[in-house]
Amino acid sequence: MPAPSPNTLELIQRAIGKYCDCDVPANEIVPDALLADLNLDSLSLADLLFAVEDALNRSIVDLSKRPKTVADLMVLIEPFEDELRSKIALD
């Protein structure tokens, strides 16, 4: 499996900024970062993932494999990156 693109990281950084009630600088949102260390709690993660799924009109998350790192989110979202960029206003 190819590595997620830097554009996917940017999309995740923006999404975490929007859905996380925290003040984490974008430069701290790196692939190895644990979501818990970024103060992305389970409710914020659910909001973020539901927004992605609503935009795509399909499920992308296997609930048995909850994302724990930014890289986990990147792997989930990258296949849909182009479609998401056209549908989700994260600004």
Side-chain angles (χ1 to χ4, degrees):
M1 175 187 303
S5 77
N7 290 333
T8 305
L9 178 58
E10 175 197 356
L11 190 63
I12 296 292
Q13 289 168 333
R14 293 172 55 205
I16 287 175
K18 180 173 182 174
Y19 291 99
C20 178
D21 188 22
C22 56
D23 292 321
V24 177
N27 66 343
E28 290 182 22
I29 302 172
V30 296
D32 292 337
L34 294 172
L35 299 178
D37 291 346
L38 298 174
N39 297 319
L40 188 68
D41 62 21
S42 58
L43 182 58
S44 297
L45 178 60
D47 286 345
L48 186 154
L49 293 174
F50 287 146
V52 169
E53 290 181 340
D54 284 349
L56 295 171
N57 200 28
R58 70 183 96 156
S59 178
I60 64 166
V61 179
D62 176 356
L63 296 177
S64 68
K65 299 177 183 175
R66 182 174 174 225
K68 298 195 185 313
T69 66
V70 170
D72 294 343
L73 282 176
M74 292 172 71
V75 168
L76 278 175
I77 291 174
E78 183 170 42
F80 311 103
E81 179 182 342
D82 291 337
E83 189 176 350
L84 285 171
R85 283 190 183 280
S86 68
K87 292 184 175 184
I88 294 181
L90 292 175
D91 293 323

